[in-house]
Structures are given as structure tokens and as C-alpha cells.
Amino acid sequence: MAKKDIDWENLGFGYIKTDKRYVSNFKDGKWDEGLITEDDKVVISECAGVLQYSQSCFEGLKAYTTEDGRVVTFRPDLNAQRMNDSAERLEMPKLPDGKFLEAVDKVVEANIDWVPPYGSGATLYIRPYMFGSNPVIGVKPADEYQFRVFVTPVGPYFKGGTKAVNLKVSDFDRAAPHGTGHIKAGLNYAMSLHAIVTAHAEGYDENLYLDPATRTKVEETGGANFIFVDHDGNLVVPKSTSILPSITRRSLTVVGEKYLGCKVYEREVLLSELKDFAECGLCGTAAVISPVGSIDDHGNKIVFGDGKEMGPVTKKLYDTLTGIQMGHIEGPEGWVHTIK
Ligand SMILES: Cc1ncc(COP(=O)(O)O)c(C=O)c1O
């Protein structure tokens, strides 16, 4: 088989149906073996738990082609762990050890011709997800579940690539203090849609959410964690129990400390101190790091650097992490998992 005939350089961040996907069902208290199928349709009861009470969670990771032609994933064990953390919080069954990783590897291998070539700027986005599949009408957890994994080739998340994005401080809240902000539940994203549509209509790329209890501390955006650089070149990342523990952010802080010699401070970050930072970036699997050009707090605009380009520390972080992912910088033990 040969690589698919796709204009890899000009791919957007969208869904393209590939050849194969993975499906496994949970019934009578246990998961079945799971299989690879060509069938992309999900057929469930009209009363399925996911349709009535949004019992669903998901993950997002990528497969990359390295410089020496391998196909790899990046720290997939952390996605497996986070998926089980999400399942536990949503009263869904956990996946047995190794099932998540095996499913991801199988789907990537089955769609190997869809993995974008090295240097194209595109990657294969992997979407594992789980949902309650049997009828549920009284409010309670489902008894049956489906775990699926599909893949789709993607280009950059933000249209401008590494061009700076502009945010607004949102008047909506993303996650309650003892709620579900720290897990990857579909419901967190459903309730953020109105906020993002509103921000886009007002000309912003994304929202900065504050902590709902005091509305004074920085949490995250709808799809990425923040990383700030102070004027001494140190990294500052917001600490909160209601933000998603981003694998990219957790990796960037290690890269900053071990590869670039930065000090890393994980602490509460006040909205009022943003003006004191030199650089600001959004980190996540989709965009790696997107530089933030400005944050508009109700007419009070905070600008980072020249407001357009990636700052120097952010650039070094970006180059080092993508270098590890693409295989031309040696990463810490266990970070890069070779599929083929
Ligand atoms: C709300 C939210 N925060 C942060 C992230 C970044 O997490 P990761 O680096 O694990 O992709 C994501 C994307 O997955 C997200 O949806």
C-alpha cells in the first residue's frame, strides 16, 4: 500500500474518514476483546446513556512520522491514565491495563497510509472515546459502554500556524471548583460552545477562563493550558484542581527545566499579574504551543512581546518538544513510543 494522495501541507484541523477504527464493548461487567472494523457508524438505542445524560469521555493524541521514518506516539501512557481518571469520575468502567495502548497502536497501524509524512507539518490525530450505550431513563450510570478509537490526518489547529492568537477574558465559567474540569468529559466541551462562539463573533480566537469561585485567577482556555514566561526567563504555569492536566504542558515544564535550564513555578496565577509576564503560550496536543499575542480583559488589553510572533523562550520550548516528537532530539526515557 502507498501513502494516501492528500495535499498534506495544506490540511486543516478537520475530520477525514480513514479506513479503519477500533471498537470494544463493555457488557455484563466486562470488556470484550475488541476489534478493528471498517464500519464508521455507531448504532445505539435512542435512550442510550450518552444521548440522555452525556455520559462520555475522550482523549486526544497524535502519531508522528519521525525524521528516520518511524511512526511514533508521544507519552500515550499518560492519555491512557487520564482516560481512566475521566471514566472513574463519570462512573464509567475503567479500561484494563494495556487495552488503551493496544487499541491506539492497532488503529494507527491499520491506517498507516494516512500518517502524514515527515516534514509536512501534518500529523495523525487519534481520538479514543467511551460512552454509555444502553438505555437509561432514570438518572444513573449506564450498564453497557462502548470504547472506540478513530484517527484523522490533521494540519495546524489554528489557521495561522504559529502566529499569535488573541484571547478575551470570558464572562462564562468553564468548570466549577469541585466539578469535572480536571477530566476530559464531553460535557465540559458542550457547555463551552456558547462561550467560544461568542468569543469568535467578537473577533477573538479563544477564551481565557477564570476560576469561578473568585474570578481572579487564571484557569485555562477551552482546549489548552497556559504557560507564562517571566522577565527572567522562568516558566510559570497555573495550578488549579479544575483545569485539565495537559500532557503537553507537563512535558514542556520538564523540557524547560531539563533541556533549557529554566526554573518552573506551578502556582496560582492572578489575572492582575498577567501584565508582568514577557511571554504567554497555549499548550495542548492540537497546537503544541500557540503564542498568545494579547488578552483583552474587558477593554484592558495586555500585549505579550510584539503581539505577533512567538517569544524567544516559547520558541525554544516549541523547537525542543517538537524535536523530541519528530525524533531529532533524544527525549527522556519512555516519552516516544514507536508503533512501526
Ligand atoms: C480543556 C483542555 N485543556 C488542555 C488541553 C491540552 O491537553 P493535552 O496537552 O494533554 O492535549 C486540552 C486538549 O486536549 C483541553 O481540551
Side-chain angles (χ1 to χ4, degrees):
M1 291 288 279
K3 284 272 171 220
K4 298 288 170 184
D5 184 19
I6 289 176
D7 182 6
W8 304 106
E9 273 81 11
N10 291 308
L11 272 179
F13 198 92
Y15 172 76
I16 297 173
K17 186 182 144 190
T18 63
D19 297 329
K20 310 267 174 70
R21 62 276 303 128
Y22 174 92
V23 187
S24 179
N25 288 295
F26 181 88
K27 198 175 172 175
D28 300 327
K30 56 180 188 305
W31 287 101
D32 68 13
E33 267 291 289
L35 53 82
I36 293 285
T37 172
E38 286 184 4
D39 190 358
D40 64 319
K41 297 286 181 288
V42 178
V43 180
I44 47 175
S45 161
E46 62 186 354
C47 195
V50 62
L51 299 179
Q52 302 311 321
Y53 304 120
S54 299
Q55 204 185 8
S56 77
C57 61
F58 65 101
E59 271 304 321
L61 67 162
K62 285 174 169 176
Y64 312 83
T65 305
T66 59
E67 202 169 9
D68 60 1
R70 285 172 301 135
V71 172
V72 304
T73 48
F74 180 71
R75 309 189 78 181
D77 50 315
L78 297 188
N79 294 96
Q81 179 60 51
R82 196 170 62 187
M83 181 98 178
N84 270 350
D85 293 344
S86 299
E88 197 167 28
R89 176 64 175 80
L90 295 169
E91 290 295 333
M92 302 169 86
K94 290 210 257 181
L95 294 165
D97 275 357
K99 192 173 179 76
F100 180 100
L101 297 172
E102 187 192 308
V104 166
D105 282 8
K106 277 188 174 163
V107 180
V108 173
E109 266 206 89
N111 292 287
I112 206 81
D113 297 333
W114 294 89
V115 185
Y118 174 76
S120 64
T123 51
L124 190 74
Y125 186 75
I126 307 165
R127 171 52 61 89
Y129 60 114
M130 191 199 292
F131 52 88
S133 53
N134 70 302
V136 174
I137 195 72
V139 178
K140 67 178 178 80
D143 301 308
E144 295 175 14
Y145 294 85
Q146 195 163 98
F147 167 54
R148 299 179 71 101
V149 184
F150 69 78
V151 294
T152 185
V154 292
Y157 190 72
F158 290 109
K159 275 199 213 84
T162 53
K163 226 178 84 225
V165 293
N166 299 303
L167 316 184
K168 71 168 285 192
V169 175
S170 184
D171 292 321
F172 299 102
D173 293 328
R174 177 185 169 272
H178 303 283
T180 54
H182 61 298
I183 59 162
K184 221 162 158 61
L187 57 92
N188 291 341
Y189 298 82
M191 46 66 64
S192 75
L193 296 177
H194 179 59
I196 189 72
V197 169
T198 305
H200 286 167
E202 292 170 357
Y204 301 96
D205 298 299
E206 253 291 4
N207 283 299
L208 178 157
Y209 292 106
L210 295 171
D211 75 297
T214 71
R215 307 208 104 248
T216 59
K217 291 175 254 176
V218 174
E219 294 257 292
E220 60 174 326
T221 70
N225 281 182
F226 280 102
I227 194 157
F228 298 99
V229 180
D230 70 15
H231 285 284
D232 297 320
N234 299 318
L235 308 184
V236 179
V237 290
K239 187 175 184 163
S240 159
T241 52
S242 51
I243 64 178
L244 192 77
S246 157
I247 294 162
T248 315
R249 187 255 299 162
R250 286 185 273 161
S251 305
L252 286 169
T253 51
V254 175
V255 165
E257 207 163 24
K258 301 261 183 316
Y259 289 68
L260 308 180
C262 308
K263 288 202 183 81
V264 176
Y265 301 100
E266 190 179 352
R267 60 166 173 82
E268 290 185 339
V269 174
L270 296 173
L271 177 62
S272 60
E273 63 174 312
L274 292 193
K275 60 183 185 333
D276 302 328
F277 291 121
E279 298 174 36
C280 171
L282 298 182
C283 35
T285 296
V288 186
I289 316 181
S290 291
V292 175
S294 67
I295 299 175
D296 193 341
D297 177 16
H298 303 90
N300 175 24
K301 199 164 174 181
I302 303 148
V303 178
F304 299 96
D306 68 0
K308 294 192 184 84
E309 303 295 329
M310 232 184 218
V313 177
T314 308
K315 176 91 174 77
K316 275 192 220 154
L317 286 169
Y318 179 90
D319 288 344
T320 311
L321 187 66
T322 52
I324 292 170
Q325 290 168 335
M326 299 296 171
H328 44 87
I329 297 174
E330 180 77 24
E333 172 99 39
W335 276 23
V336 174
H337 167 69
T338 302
I339 296 178
K340 208 168 169 137

